[in-house]
Amino acid sequence: MRKFVIIALLIAIAVPSGFARRKKPKAGKLENNTYTDVGYGFKITLPEGWKVKVGYAKDHFRLSLVQKKYEIPPDYLNTPDYTQVPKIIVWADTTTMGATAFVDSLVSPTFKSEQKKNIYKEFELLNEALVSSRTYRDPLVQKKRRMIEVDGSRGVLWAGRATYLKEVALSASATGGGKRVRGAYGGNVIALKKDNRIVVFHMMCEWNYFDDIEEILINMVKGLTWTDTGQEGKKDKG
């Protein structure tokens, strides 16, 4: 009898750990630097030299890309960790809004929605609350806004710039004192819409290198192709 009790206890312990090891389904497949989204039916070729993380199927954040080797502003040569590392986020959902109206809603200081609330968790260029407490950031200023067309779908490219004042240590090993550095962040929000599906790209980097990183982003966006409606694209969230 005791033997059966021990076996039952071992099974009870093993079953939960088995569920814990079960992997969450991913948002899409990454093969030979090409990402294919399962939920929203689009495909993009990713740039070389970026660390890529694929999101989960249930999340709207589909991809995260961080540049591996990036330029460091002169003020941060002794403390490179203060550099805003170039980063690209890809977000997707369904909506009845057009791409232009959707981006306008994101940069609007008054518009509120659940989608915007979700987006602001990662879109650091738009959400000032995500910056370090040792950084003072001025309001974001629009630098450009124009229509684009990719694989038969119309979209919009938006770019902004935000100056900042940052408290920086004199070196990585410094324990006290420091200097104040004035700089600027730059970035893009690009939205493409097909039927009820919308894919939004967010990029942020140091303004010194904005033009080069923006070119990388635009080339990636221009290579997007729509595959099918996807699993989530068949739903309409309004």
Side-chain angles (χ1 to χ4, degrees):
M1 181 65 180
R2 184 180 177 185
K3 180 179 179 181
F4 289 113
V5 171
I6 293 173
I7 293 174
L9 287 172
L10 290 174
I11 293 174
I13 294 171
V15 169
S17 63
F19 280 111
R21 288 194 298 268
R22 195 175 290 175
K23 292 183 178 180
K24 295 180 182 179
K26 293 289 189 176
K29 299 177 181 178
L30 183 60
E31 295 179 353
N32 299 323
N33 225 36
T34 297
Y35 170 76
T36 303
D37 196 271
V38 176
Y40 295 95
F42 65 90
K43 181 186 294 186
I44 48 177
T45 299
L46 306 181
E48 299 286 347
W50 292 66
K51 183 179 179 180
V52 181
K53 181 180 179 181
V54 179
Y56 295 114
K58 291 186 177 181
D59 294 337
H60 295 294
F61 295 101
R62 317 305 282 179
L63 282 174
S64 174
L65 293 83
V66 178
Q67 194 172 35
K68 295 178 182 178
K69 294 182 179 180
Y70 51 90
E71 298 288 338
I72 298 173
D75 285 317
Y76 302 145
L77 290 179
N78 294 327
T79 52
D81 288 347
Y82 284 92
T83 304
Q84 175 65 47
V85 180
K87 185 176 183 180
I88 297 172
I89 301 289
V90 183
W91 181 94
D93 200 355
T94 60
T95 181
T96 56
M97 298 174 67
T100 301
F102 196 89
V103 171
D104 288 344
S105 75
L106 296 182
V107 300
S108 168
T110 57
F111 184 87
K112 296 180 180 180
S113 72
E114 286 302 313
Q115 286 180 321
K116 183 174 180 177
K117 184 178 179 180
N118 179 255
I119 284 172
Y120 267 46
K121 293 177 182 178
E122 294 285 347
F123 281 27
E124 189 175 342
L125 182 70
L126 303 180
N127 188 359
E128 295 179 27
L130 295 179
V131 300
S132 167
S133 60
R134 296 179 63 85
T135 301
Y136 170 79
R137 202 181 98 172
D138 289 324
L140 186 63
V141 177
Q142 176 179 306
K143 302 303 291 184
K144 69 176 76 170
R145 180 178 177 275
R146 61 181 174 85
M147 302 302 296
I148 59 174
E149 186 169 334
V150 176
D151 194 29
S153 62
R154 291 181 63 80
V156 62
L157 179 150
W158 187 95
R161 181 179 186 270
T163 58
Y164 65 75
L165 178 64
K166 189 178 294 188
E167 297 284 345
V168 178
L170 293 177
S171 68
S173 60
T175 57
K179 62 179 180 178
R180 290 184 175 182
V181 173
R182 292 188 181 275
Y185 299 127
N188 297 100
V189 177
I190 303 177
L192 297 173
K193 189 182 180 190
K194 176 75 170 181
D195 302 321
N196 67 337
R197 293 168 286 163
I198 190 164
V199 180
V200 185
F201 299 81
H202 168 275
M203 182 278 287
M204 184 173 174
C205 65
E206 295 285 349
W207 183 257
N208 312 49
Y209 316 112
F210 170 76
D211 291 340
D212 292 337
I213 306 301
E214 182 189 48
E215 183 178 359
I216 293 173
L217 172 65
I218 291 175
N219 287 336
M220 182 176 79
V221 173
K222 285 183 176 179
L224 180 144
T225 56
W226 300 101
T227 55
D228 52 42
T229 57
Q231 297 172 7
E232 297 297 326
K234 297 175 184 178
K235 305 173 184 178
D236 192 353
K237 299 182 182 179

